[in-house]
Amino acid sequence: MFRRQVLRAAQAVLVAVLAAAGVQLATGAPAAAVRTVYYDASRTGEFRTNFDQAAQIWNSRVSTVRLQPGTPASITIYVDDGWPRAQPTGLGSGRIWMGRTAVNQGYDRNRIAAHELGHILGLPDRRTGLCSDLMSGSSAPVSCRNAYPSSAEASRVNSLFAGTLAAPVTGATHTWDGAGDVGPTVVGGRPASENYPFMVYVSGCTGTLIKANWAVTAKHCSTPSSVRVGSVNRTSGGTVVRVARAVNHPSVDVKLLQLASSVSYAPAPIPTTSGAVGTATRIIGWGQTCARPGCGSAPAVANELDTSIVADSRCSGINGPYEICTNNTNGTSGACYGDSGGPQVRRVNGVWNLIGATSRAGNNNFTCATGPSIYVDLPSIRSWMSTQVGGLPV
């Protein structure tokens, strides 16, 4: 009897201490306690109900953490007229701004709220362009109304709060429109061994020149006002050209950029087929060269990696007829954040031919190069590309 009273008293003291920090243990939890994280949405005006609904969405999908309104809060939410953004200060703590700019553009309120809460729960942006991925954010179409995390996203949050995954580094601000975000480059590669004339730097992403006045990149990348063409150095050389317009493919992760003027650099030819399993290829791009999200800045000089095409069965969620599963060389090297839209090339009669554009990880892992990568198979949509640009070079 006395022992039970002592245990209950000790538990009450522990709960009170954690409450003072804005984080409490849910009562009635089994040995692996659920962590309760309190949020304050009193400053969000017309968006208060959206954050309450977003919290319930997360509560319905994860088991190691529970979001609950209350004070003292470890998550404080505001509203302003800018872009939605989140600034984590720790796992389960930070600040969120519900910016009206995205709402005015037609993005779903609940999806925005759930996405920003996802950052505080330890998830980075992953601009796959897929509506099914909550953390794809603004890279998914405005018509996307999905506010639920994918099973991979929910699983990662569960692992983070269970302590089976290391908590992410905090301090960065995640912005809904992706401005300033570092998107996928090459891990385990080497600085470019030649000055590929078809390289295009696309402001945080990578692209490829396919015609004198057209480039290709990933649809999930933001459309820049200008690009640098013809240099493997993203800060110098080549030619800076204004972007006149962008054309998105209706289904795959491809965007065409029409340049305001033609350049004299040789574009990369697109063959009729990408190649069979085992075909030797090379990937090239700018961005962080370490594997974890946000672990480093983009290099000035593009990196390259020799790799190969592997069986579609090694990539999760691949669209076989229109995408390529590309090997993570030695199990440790491959595409990463910032390489998005960048070229996958192969030698044809001594000339680099463009067969792929970087899209996303093939194993749903936020740490790069832990599995093969998925590239859009450009030969499979060559006729569409040719129509859009008024005829591709032979």
Side-chain angles (χ1 to χ4, degrees), residues 98-133:
M98 181 66 168
R100 294 187 177 92
T101 297
V103 175
N104 293 339
Q105 289 192 5
Y107 288 101
D108 184 74
R109 296 181 177 198
N110 286 347
R111 177 173 170 82
I112 296 170
H115 173 95
E116 301 306 336
L117 284 172
H119 285 311
I120 305 299
L121 298 180
L123 299 181
D125 282 309
R126 187 166 178 266
R127 301 184 184 281
T128 62
L130 301 177
C131 184
S132 57
D133 292 337

Side-chain angles (χ1 to χ4, degrees), residues 9 30 36 46 59 95 104 111 136 139 204 210 215 238 265 380 390 392:
T36 299
E46 68 269 34
N59 291 342
R95 293 173 288 275
N104 293 339
R111 177 173 170 82
S136 68
S139 71
I210 57 172
Y265 305 100
S380 72
L392 287 169

Side-chain angles (χ1 to χ4, degrees), residues 157-337:
V157 169
N158 275 330
S159 296
L160 286 168
F161 280 85
T164 57
L165 278 180
V169 177
T170 58
T173 298
H174 304 274
T175 306
W176 176 262
D177 72 336
D181 285 359
V182 178
T185 188
V186 178
V187 171
R190 58 182 180 268
S193 60
E194 54 187 281
N195 191 34
Y196 306 98
F198 49 76
M199 290 299 290
V200 179
Y201 180 63
V202 192
S203 186
C205 284
T206 305
T208 310
L209 189 71
I210 57 172
K211 194 175 179 178
N213 63 331
W214 284 91
V216 62
T217 188
K219 181 165 61 177
H220 71 259
C221 293
S222 299
T223 300
S225 59
S226 63
V227 295
R228 185 182 297 275
V229 185
S231 176
V232 293
N233 191 315
R234 64 185 177 88
T235 63
S236 64
T239 303
V240 176
V241 188
R242 185 173 62 84
V243 174
R245 67 186 181 105
V247 180
N248 290 330
H249 190 277
S251 56
V252 297
D253 189 15
V254 160
K255 176 188 294 184
L256 300 177
L257 301 175
Q258 183 177 20
L259 309 182
S261 58
S262 296
V263 295
S264 58
Y265 305 100
I270 300 175
T272 56
T273 60
S274 56
V277 170
T279 297
T281 68
R282 179 173 289 182
I283 60 176
I284 314 165
W286 287 279
Q288 64 184 55
T289 54
C290 49
R292 291 188 61 185
C295 60
S297 59
V301 175
N303 275 225
E304 65 184 32
L305 174 72
D306 292 325
T307 183
S308 63
I309 298 174
V310 294
D312 288 350
S313 59
R314 291 190 54 192
C315 282
S316 174
I318 191 170
N319 183 352
Y322 299 100
E323 294 179 325
I324 303 169
C325 188
T326 302
N327 196 28
N328 57 323
T329 306
N330 298 321
T332 58
S333 304
C336 188
Y337 297 99

Side-chain angles (χ1 to χ4, degrees), residues 30-51:
V34 179
R35 178 174 162 183
T36 299
V37 173
Y38 288 94
Y39 67 91
D40 178 6
S42 63
R43 301 173 178 86
T44 57
E46 68 269 34
F47 303 110
R48 172 64 186 264
T49 57
N50 300 114
F51 278 94

Side-chain angles (χ1 to χ4, degrees), residues 357-373:
T358 318
S359 180
R360 62 194 185 278
N363 64 344
N364 293 317
N365 196 317
F366 292 98
T367 301
C368 302
T370 54
S373 299

